[in-house]
Amino acid sequence: MLVPVKWLKEYVDIDISTKELSDRMTMSGSNVEVVEKIGEGIEGVVVGKIEKIEPHPNADKLVIVAVNVGEKTLQIVTGATNIKEEDYVPVALEGAKLPNGLKIKKGKLRGEVSEGMLVSQDEINIPKAVIPEDMKDGIWILDKPYPLGKNILEVIELEEEVIEFELTSNRPDCLSMIGMAREVAATIGSQLKYPKVEVKGIEERSNEYAKVLIEDVEGCVRYVARVIKDVHIAPSPQWMQRRLANAGIRPINNIVDITNYVMLEYGQPLHAFDMDYVEGNTVIVKKSEEGESFKTLDGIERKLKKDTTMICDTNKALAIAGIMGGEESEVTSKTKTILLESAYFNPEKIRLTSKSLALRTEASSRFEKGMDPNVARLAADRACQLIEELAVGKVLEGAVDVYPVKKEMDKKTIRPNRINSLLGTNLTNQQMIEILNKLEIAVTVQDDLLVVEVPTYRIDLEQEVDFVEEIARIYGYDRIDATMARGNIVAGGKTNGQIIEDITKEALNAMGLNEILTYSFVSPRSIEKIKLEKNIIKKNFVKLLNPLGDETSAMRTSLIPNLLEVMARNSNRKVEEFRGFELGRIFISKGDTSEKLPQELLNLVIGMYGEEDFYTLKGVVEGLLTRLGVEDYEYEVENHHPTFHPGRCGNIVYGDHTLGTLGELHPEVMDNYGISQKCYVAELDFELLLQLIRLDNMYTPLPKYPAITRDFAVIVKENVLVKEIEKIIKNHGGSILESYKLFDVYKGNQIQEGYKSIAYALTYRHKERTLQDKEVNKVHEKILDVMKQELGATLRD
C-alpha cells in the first residue's frame, strides 16, 4: 500500500518526521518497506505558456516554440508532437537540474538556438505506469493556467514523501487512506478526521431512473446504485492526478479517477457504467451459465465458469462482479449519463473467479480479502460529492440501495487478567479501554470482563488473542519488559541429523574443502553425461509440470553432475586446484502417479583436481568417517561403475551395505564436461551413514603393560589383495592383537615374476598383564600358517 504523506495528513494531524512516523508504524505492526521522496533533485523548472509554434527550417521532426515564462519569452527547440499554442507546460530553464542528473544548458539544435527544455513527466522521474496515456511519449501539459515563471514545485504537489507499507492479507481495512490514518492516529495518539460527505443532488431521484435486483444473494450482499446526468468527460484536475499517481494509480479521466480516488480513500471499489448501454435501466446481479463468454474492458473474450457472479441488465452481461467491467458499457468521451456502482461481493467467489480467469485487478485484490458492506453507501456518496465539486455532472437525489440483511457489529468478551498474563504486563482495565478506543473499538465493563464491539471493517478480530495483539502493539512492544519463559516450554534446536550435517561440513572444511550449493532442478540428460543412462533408479526423475526449460525440467537423482559442472567451470576459468563438496538431497520418483511423493535421500559428494590423487581423496573420506565414529568399513575394487575409471575405483562397504564409491573419473565423463585434467570424486549415501555414526567417544585409559611387536614379510601372487591378508590378521589375531600396519609392498629383481612382497608390523598387548613371548609366537605363527594355506603365502627370506 502506497501512502502519500501529504494526503495522509488530511485525515490525521502528524507533527513528527516521516522517518519517525515510519519507525513507530513498523513497531505497531504496519511494516514500512520503503519511504520514497518524489520530486527530489528538481531545480529551475517553472511554469511556461506556449505562445507560438513554428516549423524548424532545417529539420522536419523539430519545431521552434516561443514560451513565455513570466519575465521573458524563451525560444526552445523540441520534437514533441502533443503540444499546441496556449498550452501551459513545465519549462526547464538554463542551469536547471532534473532528477536523472541532467543539467540544462543553452545550445543549438540543427542551427537554431534553444534556451531551455520542455519537460515530460518521465523526465522528472514519474513512473511510466502512472503517466496518462496522452502524455506518455510527450510533454507534460498542465491542466489549467498557473502563474507564469512560478516554480513547478510550488504550484503542483510534486514534492512528496510516499510510504510503502507491507500489509498482511487479514487487514483489508488498511488498504485505504482512512484505514492507514486510523492506524497512524492510534499509534501516535492523534485525532482521526473523517471527510465531511455532503451531496446536494437535483430534484430527480435515482430510483426513478434505475432498478437493482439481486438474484445471486450468495455472491452479492449489498448493491448501491447512484445516477449522474449531464456528465462531462475530461481530464481530472492536477491535484487529483498527482495523488493517484503517487499512490500507484494511472489517471485516465475525471469519472474513472474519482472512482479510483474514493477506492484509495475508503478502500471501497466503485464502477461506473454508461447508462445508455444498461437496457431496461435495470441492474441484475446473477450467476453465469457454464461456457458463457464475456468481453472485458481489456478487449479479451473470456470464458466463464458456471455460477460466476455477474452484473447484467435485462438482456446482457455488463461486468464480472468485483473484477472488471465490460467493453460495451465502458465510460467514454461520449457518455452523458452514468450509473455508479458501490457493492459488496463474496470474497471467496471473487478470489476463485479471479484465479480461474487469471485476471487480477485493484478491485478484485480488495474484494477477495473482504470489505465492509456498511461503507458501500458512504463511498458512493463521497464519489458523488467529488463529481459535484469538480462540476463533472448532475447527481440525482438518493440511491438505489439493496441491502437485505445488514451486517451488525459483533460483540466479544475478553479477560484483562488473561491479557496481562500473556503479555507480562500490569495494565489496568482503563488503560486497555483507552487503547481499544484509539482503534475505534467501543468497550463496556461487565464485572471483571471487557465487552468489546468489533467494528464491521475489522474482520480480523475474532478471538480473545486478537485483542491481546491489538493491545500489545498499540501499547508498544518496546515497552513490554523481557521476561523468562514460564510453564512447559519446549526448547527449540536442531535435530540430531542436522547436528551431524553441521559436523560433517565442519570436518570437510577443516580438511581444506569448500562447500558448494547447486540447484535441485536439472536436465534429464545430466545422467547421460555421467554414463548412467542404463541405471533405472537414476533415470527415475521427478518431472516438473511447469519448467522454465529443458535444463531445469526434472529433480536431480545424483549430485555428481552438479559437482562436475562446478568443477568444469573452475577448470575453464584457470583455477588450478579444486577441493569441494556438497551435502544435499536427491529425489527418486516412486511412479508416474502424482499421489506418490518422491523419495528424498541425503547424499554427499566430494570432488577434487590439481595436485591430488586417489589416495588424497581416500584420506579425506577416511578422515570424515573417523570424525563421525564410523568403523569396521572396508574397501572393495569396483570395475563396473560407468562414471569412474576401471581399475581406479572402489566401493566403501560396511557389512552387506555399500556406503559409497570413490575413484578417478572416467575419461569420457571428463570429456563430456570439457575437463582436461584428472578428477577424483566420491559419492556417499549419507542416509545410510546416519545409521552408523557414533559421536559419543568412549574414554580409553593409557596402557599399563608393554607391547610386543612382530614384523613379517610374505610373498604372494600379484592378484592377492591386501584386504585378504588383513582379514586373516584380524580373524586370527585374537584378543591380544592391538594393531597392524602395512609398511612395505615390493616387486622387483629379488621377487619372482607374478609375485609381490608385502610387509606388516603387528603390535600385541594384553590389557591386564605382561605378555610372554610364547603367547605371542603362538598367535603370530597361526596367522602365518593360515596365510600359507589360504593364500599360498611364503615368508620372505
Side-chain angles (χ1 to χ4, degrees), residues 669-737:
V669 173
M670 291 193 291
D671 287 343
N672 290 339
Y673 286 91
I675 303 174
S676 58
Q677 53 189 316
K678 291 182 178 181
C679 294
Y680 301 91
V681 172
E683 183 180 36
L684 303 178
D685 184 344
F686 209 79
E687 295 285 348
L688 183 55
L689 271 179
L690 287 173
Q691 312 302 316
L692 307 176
I693 290 170
R694 288 288 302 272
L695 297 177
D696 50 339
N697 297 323
M698 300 296 292
Y699 169 72
T700 303
L702 292 173
K704 296 180 180 180
Y705 302 98
I708 296 177
T709 302
R710 293 281 190 272
D711 296 346
F712 69 78
V714 292
I715 298 174
V716 294
K717 292 182 179 180
E718 277 187 334
N719 61 355
V720 173
L721 301 177
V722 167
K723 173 186 173 183
E724 297 175 78
I725 295 176
E726 292 182 352
K727 185 177 181 181
I728 292 173
I729 294 173
K730 285 192 293 184
N731 289 343
H732 297 280
S735 60
I736 64 172
L737 178 66

Side-chain angles (χ1 to χ4, degrees), residues 204-471:
E204 296 175 89
R205 299 185 62 82
S206 291
N207 58 13
E208 296 173 357
Y209 276 80
K211 295 180 181 179
V212 175
L213 298 175
I214 300 179
E215 294 181 3
D216 181 8
V217 293
E218 177 192 4
C220 180
V221 172
R222 186 182 191 183
Y223 196 101
V224 177
R226 295 205 66 158
V227 179
I228 299 95
K229 294 176 63 177
D230 299 335
V231 173
H232 171 63
I233 304 297
S236 55
Q238 202 69 57
W239 66 266
M240 181 174 285
Q241 290 191 33
R242 295 304 324 128
R243 286 189 175 183
L244 290 175
N246 290 341
I249 301 289
R250 178 168 59 88
I252 297 176
N253 60 51
N254 46 16
I255 292 297
V256 176
D257 290 354
I258 287 171
T259 60
N260 284 332
Y261 186 90
V262 174
M263 177 184 70
L264 291 173
E265 188 175 43
Y266 282 90
Q268 171 66 44
L270 306 175
H271 188 74
F273 297 101
D274 189 328
M275 195 73 177
D276 291 339
Y277 289 90
V278 181
E279 296 186 32
N281 291 345
T282 302
V283 171
I284 305 172
V285 185
K286 62 182 182 180
K287 298 177 181 178
S288 66
E289 299 295 331
E290 183 68 42
E292 184 179 336
S293 63
F294 179 73
K295 183 178 281 190
T296 48
L297 276 171
D298 52 10
I300 299 175
E301 193 81 25
R302 301 181 186 274
K303 293 291 183 182
L304 306 175
K305 288 189 175 182
K306 186 179 180 182
D307 296 339
T308 299
T309 303
M310 300 294 293
I311 309 300
C312 308
D313 58 20
T314 56
N315 185 45
K316 63 183 181 301
L318 301 173
I320 304 174
I323 299 177
M324 186 176 282
E327 194 173 49
E328 289 186 2
S329 60
E330 178 185 7
V331 173
T332 67
S333 58
K334 298 179 181 179
T335 300
K336 295 302 177 186
T337 305
I338 65 171
L339 183 144
L340 184 66
E341 167 195 282
S342 180
Y344 176 90
F345 299 110
N346 184 307
E348 184 177 350
K349 294 195 70 175
I350 295 296
R351 182 167 57 252
L352 293 175
T353 301
S354 177
K355 184 177 180 180
S356 67
L357 296 175
L359 179 62
R360 202 162 189 268
T361 61
E362 282 286 342
S364 69
S365 67
R366 284 169 163 78
F367 278 126
E368 69 185 17
K369 293 178 177 65
M371 304 306 299
D372 180 8
N374 292 330
V375 175
R377 175 62 187 270
L378 179 61
D381 291 348
R382 173 62 167 159
C384 290
Q385 178 189 21
L386 291 171
I387 287 172
E388 288 183 337
E389 290 178 356
L390 301 181
V392 173
K394 297 177 181 177
V395 180
L396 274 61
E397 186 180 344
V400 182
D401 188 354
V402 181
Y403 193 9
V405 181
K406 184 178 180 181
K407 183 178 180 180
E408 302 291 348
M409 286 194 292
D410 197 7
K411 289 187 177 182
K412 303 286 183 181
T413 301
I414 59 177
R415 298 164 292 174
N417 290 340
R418 177 61 174 163
I419 292 173
N420 279 325
S421 174
L422 287 172
L423 297 181
T425 55
N426 291 305
L427 297 174
T428 64
N429 287 6
Q430 187 57 36
Q431 285 177 297
M432 294 184 189
I433 292 172
E434 289 175 359
I435 289 173
L436 294 173
N437 287 343
K438 286 181 180 181
L439 295 166
E440 300 193 328
I441 299 172
V443 186
T444 56
V445 181
Q446 285 187 1
D447 300 326
D448 293 330
L449 303 176
L450 301 181
V451 180
V452 296
E453 292 186 4
V454 183
T456 51
Y457 56 79
R458 288 302 302 270
I459 62 174
D460 60 308
L461 301 180
E462 298 178 340
Q463 305 175 40
E464 183 181 53
V465 69
D466 296 325
F467 294 93
V468 175
E469 180 184 3
E470 293 301 292
I471 290 171

